[in-house]
C-alpha cells in the first residue's frame, strides 16, 4: 500500500516532477542510464501487442493510441506510430514533449496531441483509444490515484480497446525510491489495483533478457 510509504502526497508528486526536470531529454535519460535495453524492450512490447491486433472478431483496432508518461516519445516513435494511424502523448515534463517534436521526425506529424499533465490529473478522451499504453510511470501514482486513472482509461477505450501497463515489479510489498519519488509494487498489489478499477486482466507476461540487476518487468493487458 502506498499509504504506508508515501508520507506527504503533495511532496511525493512535486519531488518527482522536480526530479524529471533535471533528467536529460534522451533515450538514455528516459531509461535511467539503460538506453541499451530499448530495442529489447520495444521488440518484446511489439510481440505482446500484436497478439491483440491480429484478425478476429474481437480484434483491437489500430486507429488511435495514447502514450502515458511518454517522455520524449521513445515508445511513440518505435512502437505506436508504426502500428497506429495517430497517437496522443501525455507527460508531466514540458521539456520532454518539446524534445519529442524533433525526436519523432517526419512521422511525428501523426501525433495529434501533446498533453502536458500528470496522470493523477489526466482524463483520456472518452471512447477514443484502441490502446492506452502506460509504461514505467505507475510508480509515480499513489494507489488511489492509479486506480482512479485506470478507471478513466477504461472509459477512454474504443470497442475492443485495451489498456497496457508495463512496469517494474517488487519481489515483496511496496518499495519507495526517494531519488525519483516513486514506488515499486509487488505483482499482487498491481493485480488488485487493476481489479479495483473494474478492469479484466487479459494477458500477463514477464519481460525476458533484461539485465539481472534491475527489477523484474511485467506487461499486463486489460479492458
Amino acid at each position: 500500500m502506498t499509504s504506508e510509504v508515501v508520507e506527504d502526497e503533495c511532496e511525493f508528486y512535486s519531488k518527482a516532477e522536480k526530479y524529471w526536470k533535471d533528467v536529460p531529454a534522451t533515450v538514455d535519460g528516459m531509461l535511467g542510464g539503460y538506453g541499451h535495453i530499448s530495442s529489447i524492450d520495444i521488440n518484446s512490447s511489439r510481440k505482446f501487442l500484436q497478439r491483440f491486433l491480429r484478425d478476429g472478431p474481437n480484434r483491437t483496432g489500430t486507429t488511435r493510441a495514447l502514450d502515458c508518461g511518454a517522455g520524449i516519445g521513445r515508445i511513440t516513435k518505435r512502437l505506436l506510430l508504426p502500428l497506429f494511424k495517430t497517437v496522443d502523448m501525455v507527460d508531466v515534463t514540458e521539456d520532454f514533449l518539446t524534445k519529442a517534436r524533433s525526436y519523432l521526425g517526419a512521422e511525428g506529424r501523426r501525433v495529434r496531441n501533446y498533453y502536458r499533465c500528470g496522470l493523477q490529473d489526466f482524463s483520456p478522451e472518452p471512447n477514443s483509444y484502441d490502446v492506452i499504453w502506460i509504461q514505467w510511470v505507475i510508480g509515480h501514482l499513489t494507489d488511489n490515484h492509479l486506480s482512479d486513472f485506470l478507471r478513466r482509461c477504461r472509459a477512454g477505450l474504443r470497442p475492443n480497446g485495451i489498456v497496457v501497463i508495463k512496469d517494474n515489479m517488487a519481489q515483496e510489498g511496496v518499495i519507495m525510491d526517494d531519488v525519483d519519488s516513486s514506488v515499486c509494487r509487488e505483482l499482487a498489489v498491481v493485480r488488485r489495483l487493476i481489479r479495483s478499477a473494474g478492469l479484466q486482466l487479459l494477458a500477463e507476461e514477464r519481460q525476458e533478457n533484461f539485465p539481472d540487476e534491475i527489477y523484474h518487468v511485467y506487461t499486463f493487458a486489460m479492458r
Side-chain angles (χ1 to χ4, degrees):
M1 299 286 288
T2 53
S3 58
E4 296 172 3
V5 295
V6 177
E7 295 179 3
D8 184 321
E9 191 175 280
C10 290
E11 184 182 12
F12 176 68
Y13 286 113
S14 63
K15 190 176 176 182
E17 195 166 342
K18 183 178 184 298
Y19 169 84
W20 286 106
K21 280 182 180 177
D22 293 331
V23 169
T26 62
V27 170
D28 208 45
M30 299 302 96
L31 294 176
Y34 283 88
H36 60 284
I37 71 171
S38 184
S39 289
I40 298 169
D41 169 58
I42 294 291
N43 290 338
S44 296
S45 294
R46 187 182 300 112
K47 288 177 184 176
F48 181 88
L49 185 53
Q50 281 178 330
R51 73 177 78 172
F52 297 97
L53 307 182
R54 296 186 187 120
D55 291 336
N58 297 315
R59 176 184 175 273
T60 297
T62 56
T63 300
R64 190 175 175 194
L66 173 66
D67 185 358
C68 299
I72 64 170
R74 180 186 71 92
I75 291 165
T76 290
K77 180 174 184 172
R78 298 193 57 194
L79 177 67
L80 300 178
L81 282 173
L83 295 173
F84 296 87
K85 291 177 182 176
T86 63
V87 178
D88 289 346
M89 296 171 58
V90 56
D91 197 275
V92 74
T93 306
E94 190 169 357
D95 286 352
F96 294 166
L97 295 176
T98 299
K99 175 66 176 180
R101 287 167 166 82
S102 59
Y103 171 74
L104 294 172
E107 290 300 296
R109 68 186 183 278
R110 293 191 289 113
V111 175
R112 296 183 5 144
N113 297 293
Y114 296 85
Y115 296 110
R116 200 297 234 179
C117 190
L119 298 185
Q120 69 274 18
D121 299 315
F122 182 73
S123 293
E125 187 181 334
N127 194 35
S128 295
Y129 297 103
D130 296 297
V131 169
I132 297 177
W133 194 273
I134 310 165
Q135 183 162 347
W136 280 321
V137 69
I138 65 169
H140 286 301
L141 297 174
T142 64
D143 286 353
N144 287 339
H145 282 157
L146 176 54
S147 183
D148 289 346
F149 176 61
L150 290 177
R151 205 171 283 115
R152 298 194 297 272
C153 286
R154 183 185 176 201
L157 293 178
R158 289 159 53 93
N160 296 321
I162 57 170
V163 177
V164 178
I165 289 175
K166 187 169 187 178
D167 220 303
N168 301 336
M169 299 293 137
Q171 290 290 93
E172 185 178 357
V174 178
I175 301 170
M176 181 75 186
D177 185 334
D178 285 321
V179 176
D180 66 357
S181 191
S182 69
V183 296
C184 186
R185 302 170 172 93
E186 66 173 54
L187 273 168
V189 174
V190 175
R191 293 187 190 116
R192 178 178 57 77
L193 290 169
I194 289 169
R195 289 194 302 270
S196 74
L199 288 160
Q200 178 187 356
L201 197 56
L202 304 175
E204 177 183 312
E205 180 176 283
R206 180 178 166 185
Q207 172 71 50
E208 297 179 347
N209 301 318
F210 269 8
D212 292 337
E213 69 270 17
I214 68 174
Y215 285 114
H216 293 168
V217 173
Y218 279 79
T219 311
F220 308 88
M222 64 209 83
R223 67 163 63 103

